[in-house]
Amino acid sequence: DAKTTQPPSMDCAEGRAANLPCNHSTISGNEYVYWYRQIHSQGPQYIIHGLKNNETNEMASLIITEDRKSSTLILPHATLRDTAVYYCIVRGYGGSQGNLIFGKGTKLSVKP
Amino acid sequence: EPEVTQTPSHQVTQMGQEVILRCVPISNHLYFYWYRQILGQKVEFLVSFYNNEISEKSEIFDDQFSVERPDGSNFTLKIRSTKLEDSAMYFCASSEVAGGSEQFFGPGTRLTVL
């Protein structure tokens, strides 16, 4: 699985968009970008994933650059409850491998 | 909304004792996982399980660890002889398919080994 690089921490004002970047320059053609978050020692929570097209769901949007070497997770209107550690994970899809490799992630602090 | 549940929420044990951590995955999921997180450190994969056998395990998952699906609903992690360094949060997860799709995590069991 390709390695990812994320900033260790970010701040965001409540109600504003939070844009969390992730670099994955060694991503291969069949690898997806996944985002999870962990709110204060709770179990990680799936947010979104994508291959090359931008994706949106009720939680967030995922923007993947055309060369797929980086991506941005966007929380359009951050709330205090979005304060968490956000993990960008790159992995293949399918097959027998199921494990997620978590890095240190980005600690997002949403401030009032 | 269906969710993964784990019991107990907190387990305190003496070094050398056996512990069993329990998980009830989401009912139609077929793939099950255990992860752990030592305080202040990264979430680490331990083992994945499908069709009543281990499909993958990490270096952490040594002979002291075992997993079992004793019935149609529970998925357990047993640590045979606990060590101080086994103190961590243990998270169970399940997914509908392997190698892709989202994994749903439980709230975790905090294991404290004294």
Side-chain angles (χ1 to χ4, degrees):
Chain A
D1 295 332
K3 184 177 166 57
T4 62
T5 304
Q6 299 178 253
S9 63
M10 292 182 65
D11 289 342
C12 178
E14 189 179 19
R16 304 298 291 268
N19 297 284
L20 293 102
C22 179
N23 285 319
H24 31 80
S25 57
T26 60
I27 193 170
S28 61
N30 64 347
E31 288 183 317
Y32 283 67
V33 180
Y34 286 80
W35 283 84
Y36 280 76
R37 72 180 182 183
Q38 187 177 26
I39 297 172
H40 188 57
S41 295
Q42 295 179 23
Q45 177 189 24
Y46 166 84
I47 301 173
I48 199 167
H49 75 279
L51 181 64
K52 55 182 179 180
N53 297 319
N54 298 337
E55 302 287 344
T56 295
N57 63 20
E58 65 279 2
M59 287 182 70
S61 294
L62 174 60
I63 308 297
I64 303 174
T65 58
E66 196 166 336
D67 63 8
R68 303 209 323 121
K69 292 185 176 181
S70 66
S71 59
T72 301
L73 178 75
I74 301 172
L75 308 178
H77 305 287
T79 71
L80 299 178
R81 284 180 288 186
D82 291 322
T83 292
V85 179
Y86 287 76
Y87 301 99
C88 170
I89 299 171
V90 171
R91 61 186 302 277
Y93 193 96
S96 61
Q97 274 203 329
N99 59 307
L100 295 169
I101 306 295
F102 289 85
K104 294 185 179 179
T106 295
K107 184 170 183 177
L108 175 70
S109 298
V110 181
K111 299 182 184 299
Chain B
E1 188 175 318
E3 59 182 18
V4 176
T5 59
Q6 292 186 243
T7 54
S9 57
H10 192 187
Q11 173 94 44
V12 181
T13 190
Q14 296 289 326
M15 191 169 56
Q17 295 296 304
E18 173 183 286
V19 295
I20 297 176
L21 310 183
R22 290 182 168 80
C23 168
V24 179
I26 293 172
S27 62
N28 64 330
H29 286 185
L30 301 176
Y31 297 84
F32 315 113
Y33 315 87
W34 283 101
Y35 293 80
R36 79 171 186 191
Q37 186 174 32
I38 295 170
L39 186 63
Q41 298 188 23
K42 296 186 281 188
V43 177
E44 300 173 290
F45 167 75
L46 293 178
V47 66
S48 59
F49 190 86
Y50 167 68
N51 200 25
N52 281 319
E53 60 183 30
I54 290 173
S55 48
E56 191 175 12
K57 61 182 181 179
S58 72
E59 292 176 353
I60 303 168
F61 194 88
D62 61 21
D63 292 344
Q64 292 297 317
F65 293 89
S66 62
V67 288
E68 192 179 31
R69 188 154 163 83
D71 53 45
S73 58
N74 289 285
F75 178 50
T76 62
L77 174 69
K78 183 194 290 186
I79 309 175
R80 255 179 275 282
S81 176
T82 51
K83 304 176 219 161
L84 295 176
E85 54 265 37
D86 293 327
S87 294
M89 281 289 283
Y90 288 81
F91 295 109
C92 172
S94 69
S95 66
E96 208 169 349
V97 298
S101 89
E102 54 194 283
Q103 292 186 16
F104 291 80
F105 283 76
T109 293
R110 178 169 297 284
L111 176 65
T112 301
V113 182
L114 303 176

